[in-house]
Amino acid sequence: MPLDFLFLGAVAFFAGMVDAVVGGGGLIQIPVLLGHYPQVAIPTLFGTNKLASIAGTSAALWRYARSVQIPWKVVVPAALAALAGAWVGAAVVAWLPREAMRPLVLVLMLAVAIYTFRRKDFGHAETRELTAADRWRAVAFGAVIGFYDGFFGPGTGSFLIFGFVRLFGMDFLRASASAKLINVATNLSAIGFFASHGPLLWTVGLVMAACNLAGAHVGTWLALRRGTAFVRQAFLVVVSVLIAKLAWEMVKGAT
């Protein structure tokens, strides 16, 4: 329906804008899809969300790559490992309860928020040169993040940015740019998995993808124009929202 597409398109535009800056687009798109299509199977909606997201993530990566020096020698190995890890994580969902991850992710997100808030200089500038050993560290990092994204997902973008800053000494802007290649890899893997295990809402996904792409252009423009400090502030906001969301879901599940 035209009105449905208009609403979902607006949601996807905003999600693409937020995701391009600091990740977290899934926090916006998935609840809306679940609420709008309550009778549709969850794997179908998750796959449709990834279909919508990958357009904006790819556009953000392209724009960042033209303006930010991405350290490809660690980002590419991380992306390849994440591609495999996401497929494994999505497959493991069939055997392990996803809800068991929620308390652990809440604790990790709180730790990330406190660490970033207390370290005022964290991610403001490059802190070291990359080494050959960082390639193997990137493979391990990508595999773990990819598995997490395929298995559970919320906060993947935040974990990626934090990891690139903490493990590889990047500033927030370069970390956000680098995270986009990992996001593209995990989205591709998830789309392949979900599409092979059930139908996707292709029309809905493609309409949302176009709007997500437009939002990503606005988001990357903001990030590049405002710089590292802006990305850091947006990162803290998204992490705080995710903490509140996870805590609320745990409280609601316990009652």
Side-chain angles (χ1 to χ4, degrees), residues 35-77:
H36 208 69
Y37 298 102
Q39 306 304 319
V40 177
I42 288 179
T44 295
L45 296 180
F46 278 19
T48 303
N49 168 66
K50 294 295 187 183
L51 180 62
S53 298
I54 196 170
T57 304
S58 299
L61 173 62
W62 179 74
R63 287 204 66 185
Y64 276 127
R66 296 175 63 196
S67 304
V68 178
Q69 188 177 0
I70 296 175
W72 299 107
K73 67 181 180 181
V74 296
V75 174
V76 170

XYZ file of all heavy atoms in Angstrom, residues 35-77:
331
model
N 6.335 -4.695 14.280
C 5.022 -4.158 14.622
C 4.102 -4.026 13.421
O 2.878 -4.176 13.543
N 4.677 -3.755 12.244
C 3.876 -3.531 11.041
C 3.416 -4.840 10.404
O 2.371 -4.870 9.736
C 4.701 -2.726 10.035
C 3.872 -1.898 9.115
N 3.155 -0.789 9.537
C 3.625 -2.006 7.779
C 2.513 -0.257 8.508
N 2.782 -0.972 7.441
N 4.204 -5.885 10.586
C 3.869 -7.191 9.990
C 3.886 -8.268 11.074
O 4.740 -9.167 11.061
C 4.870 -7.544 8.883
C 4.875 -6.579 7.727
C 5.869 -5.608 7.605
C 3.889 -6.633 6.747
C 5.879 -4.718 6.536
C 3.872 -5.748 5.678
C 4.877 -4.788 5.584
O 4.884 -3.911 4.532
N 2.928 -8.213 12.016
C 2.960 -9.151 13.156
C 2.735 -10.605 12.764
O 3.097 -11.507 13.524
C 1.820 -8.635 14.046
C 0.908 -7.893 13.115
C 1.795 -7.287 12.082
N 2.138 -10.853 11.607
C 1.845 -12.230 11.194
C 2.965 -12.845 10.349
O 2.898 -14.021 10.010
C 0.530 -12.268 10.387
C -0.661 -11.650 11.092
C -0.920 -12.277 12.453
O -0.814 -13.489 12.613
N -1.256 -11.443 13.428
N 3.964 -12.042 10.007
C 5.045 -12.528 9.146
C 6.135 -13.158 10.004
O 6.440 -12.676 11.099
C 5.630 -11.368 8.304
C 6.812 -11.840 7.465
C 4.545 -10.795 7.398
N 6.720 -14.248 9.509
C 7.766 -14.958 10.247
C 8.956 -14.044 10.526
O 9.343 -13.235 9.678
C 8.225 -16.180 9.453
N 9.534 -14.190 11.707
C 10.647 -13.337 12.114
C 11.851 -13.454 11.183
O 12.453 -12.429 10.822
C 11.040 -13.635 13.576
C 9.950 -13.092 14.512
C 12.390 -13.016 13.928
C 10.197 -13.329 15.976
N 12.263 -14.667 10.747
C 13.392 -14.737 9.799
C 13.141 -13.929 8.521
O 14.069 -13.329 7.970
C 13.519 -16.230 9.498
C 12.986 -16.891 10.717
C 11.856 -16.017 11.168
N 11.891 -13.909 8.054
C 11.553 -13.127 6.862
C 11.762 -11.639 7.114
O 12.320 -10.920 6.279
C 10.089 -13.389 6.451
O 9.956 -14.750 6.046
C 9.671 -12.487 5.300
N 11.338 -11.175 8.293
C 11.485 -9.757 8.622
C 12.944 -9.394 8.872
O 13.398 -8.313 8.477
C 10.636 -9.415 9.844
C 9.126 -9.564 9.655
C 8.389 -9.198 10.934
C 8.631 -8.694 8.500
N 13.696 -10.286 9.509
C 15.114 -10.028 9.736
C 15.858 -9.943 8.403
O 16.723 -9.084 8.207
C 15.723 -11.128 10.606
C 15.494 -10.929 12.081
C 14.491 -10.098 12.543
C 16.273 -11.594 13.011
C 14.265 -9.918 13.893
C 16.071 -11.421 14.369
C 15.059 -10.587 14.812
N 15.541 -10.845 7.490
C 16.177 -10.801 6.171
C 15.797 -9.558 5.397
O 16.632 -8.961 4.703
N 14.540 -9.140 5.508
C 14.076 -7.916 4.835
C 14.788 -6.697 5.402
O 15.168 -5.768 4.667
C 12.555 -7.767 5.001
O 11.906 -8.932 4.474
C 12.042 -6.536 4.279
N 14.992 -6.679 6.728
C 15.734 -5.587 7.354
C 17.159 -5.516 6.806
O 17.667 -4.420 6.508
C 15.774 -5.796 8.872
C 16.761 -4.862 9.557
O 16.597 -3.652 9.574
N 17.814 -5.446 10.113
N 17.811 -6.667 6.659
C 19.182 -6.681 6.128
C 19.196 -6.215 4.670
O 20.127 -5.520 4.245
C 19.773 -8.087 6.226
C 19.982 -8.577 7.647
C 21.024 -7.760 8.375
C 21.346 -8.340 9.728
N 22.317 -7.504 10.489
N 18.187 -6.590 3.916
C 18.095 -6.157 2.519
C 17.983 -4.636 2.442
O 18.612 -3.995 1.587
C 16.876 -6.808 1.863
C 16.613 -6.485 0.384
C 17.770 -6.962 -0.479
C 15.295 -7.126 -0.070
N 17.195 -4.059 3.341
C 17.059 -2.604 3.362
C 18.345 -1.934 3.820
O 18.736 -0.884 3.297
C 15.906 -2.209 4.285
N 19.010 -2.533 4.797
C 20.186 -1.907 5.408
C 21.411 -1.912 4.511
O 22.230 -0.984 4.556
C 20.529 -2.619 6.723
O 19.475 -2.502 7.646
N 21.568 -2.962 3.708
C 22.819 -3.112 2.967
C 23.005 -2.006 1.928
O 24.143 -1.608 1.628
C 22.906 -4.507 2.302
C 24.356 -4.781 1.873
C 21.939 -4.623 1.125
C 24.576 -6.207 1.433
N 21.911 -1.459 1.415
C 22.030 -0.376 0.432
C 22.643 0.867 1.076
O 23.584 1.461 0.547
C 20.658 -0.044 -0.153
N 22.116 1.253 2.234
C 22.639 2.421 2.923
C 24.057 2.214 3.421
O 24.899 3.119 3.337
N 24.343 1.015 3.928
C 25.687 0.725 4.429
C 26.709 0.780 3.299
O 27.814 1.310 3.463
C 25.713 -0.662 5.097
O 24.728 -0.710 6.127
C 27.070 -0.932 5.718
N 26.348 0.235 2.133
C 27.253 0.260 0.979
C 27.495 1.696 0.502
O 28.624 2.073 0.168
C 26.672 -0.570 -0.170
O 26.504 -1.915 0.219
N 26.421 2.507 0.484
C 26.568 3.907 0.077
C 27.449 4.668 1.055
O 28.293 5.480 0.652
C 25.194 4.570 -0.016
N 27.268 4.394 2.363
C 28.092 5.064 3.369
C 29.556 4.665 3.210
O 30.457 5.511 3.304
C 27.593 4.705 4.772
N 29.800 3.378 2.967
C 31.171 2.914 2.759
C 31.809 3.628 1.571
O 32.962 4.074 1.645
C 31.176 1.393 2.535
C 32.519 0.777 2.134
C 33.563 0.980 3.226
C 32.348 -0.715 1.824
N 31.069 3.752 0.482
C 31.591 4.401 -0.724
C 31.947 5.866 -0.457
O 33.006 6.340 -0.846
C 30.545 4.300 -1.840
C 30.961 4.958 -3.117
C 31.875 4.509 -4.027
C 30.486 6.205 -3.625
N 31.991 5.384 -5.080
C 31.158 6.439 -4.868
C 29.558 7.140 -3.181
C 30.913 7.571 -5.636
C 29.324 8.273 -3.946
C 30.005 8.480 -5.156
N 31.068 6.560 0.255
C 31.332 7.979 0.532
C 32.483 8.149 1.514
O 33.321 9.045 1.357
C 30.075 8.658 1.088
C 28.996 8.880 0.034
C 28.072 10.007 0.423
N 28.765 11.288 0.447
C 28.221 12.432 0.847
N 26.960 12.437 1.267
N 28.893 13.555 0.857
N 32.532 7.306 2.540
C 33.635 7.391 3.494
C 34.972 7.102 2.812
O 35.978 7.767 3.070
C 33.426 6.392 4.641
C 32.538 6.881 5.753
C 31.447 6.122 6.183
C 32.796 8.079 6.414
C 30.637 6.551 7.222
C 31.987 8.522 7.452
C 30.907 7.747 7.848
O 30.110 8.185 8.874
N 34.979 6.070 1.944
C 36.229 5.654 1.296
C 36.815 6.772 0.431
O 38.028 6.804 0.201
C 35.994 4.407 0.457
N 35.965 7.671 -0.043
C 36.445 8.791 -0.862
C 37.044 9.906 -0.015
O 37.782 10.749 -0.540
C 35.293 9.347 -1.696
C 34.726 8.354 -2.712
C 33.519 8.940 -3.415
N 33.855 10.134 -4.183
C 32.948 10.998 -4.639
N 31.671 10.807 -4.388
N 33.333 12.048 -5.346
N 36.741 9.942 1.276
C 37.171 11.063 2.115
C 38.027 10.655 3.310
O 38.727 11.495 3.868
C 35.932 11.821 2.641
O 35.107 12.255 1.583
N 37.935 9.394 3.715
C 38.654 8.924 4.895
C 39.601 7.808 4.481
O 39.226 6.928 3.696
C 37.665 8.398 5.972
C 38.419 7.856 7.174
C 36.702 9.490 6.392
N 40.806 7.836 4.999
C 41.782 6.796 4.682
C 41.478 5.549 5.506
O 41.844 5.457 6.677
C 43.208 7.286 4.955
C 44.281 6.325 4.464
C 45.672 6.868 4.684
O 45.849 7.965 5.202
N 46.667 6.102 4.279
N 40.806 4.592 4.900
C 40.446 3.357 5.593
C 41.641 2.401 5.571
O 42.231 2.176 4.510
C 39.218 2.701 4.926
C 38.002 3.617 5.051
C 38.918 1.342 5.556
C 36.763 3.116 4.322
N 42.015 1.820 6.702
C 43.146 0.879 6.746
C 42.740 -0.497 6.204
O 42.417 -1.414 6.959
C 43.494 0.823 8.241
C 42.235 1.158 8.940
C 41.480 2.110 8.048
N 42.752 -0.626 4.903
C 42.228 -1.828 4.250
C 42.945 -3.100 4.696
O 42.363 -4.184 4.689
C 42.336 -1.682 2.733
C 41.560 -0.529 2.181
C 42.048 0.647 1.698
C 40.123 -0.427 2.069
N 41.027 1.478 1.300
C 39.831 0.848 1.512
C 39.068 -1.282 2.392
C 38.542 1.269 1.263
C 37.763 -0.856 2.144
C 37.503 0.405 1.593
N 44.225 -2.998 5.068
C 44.989 -4.205 5.386
C 44.498 -4.910 6.649
O 44.802 -6.081 6.856
C 46.483 -3.887 5.515
C 46.871 -3.014 6.678
C 48.373 -2.759 6.664
C 48.816 -1.875 7.820
N 50.277 -1.624 7.769
N 43.742 -4.204 7.491
C 43.111 -4.884 8.627
C 41.600 -5.003 8.442
O 40.979 -5.947 8.935
C 43.420 -4.172 9.968
C 44.898 -4.216 10.267
C 42.892 -2.762 9.991
N 41.015 -4.062 7.714
C 39.558 -4.072 7.566
C 39.094 -5.199 6.638
O 38.092 -5.869 6.903
C 39.067 -2.702 7.053
C 37.569 -2.740 6.759
C 39.365 -1.617 8.082
N 39.828 -5.439 5.548
C 39.428 -6.502 4.616
C 39.499 -7.892 5.269
O 38.542 -8.671 5.163
C 40.271 -6.446 3.331
C 40.027 -7.684 2.465
C 39.931 -5.186 2.527
N 40.603 -8.269 5.959
C 40.600 -9.563 6.647
C 39.482 -9.683 7.678
O 38.867 -10.746 7.817
C 41.982 -9.605 7.326
C 42.833 -8.707 6.521
C 41.920 -7.605 6.063
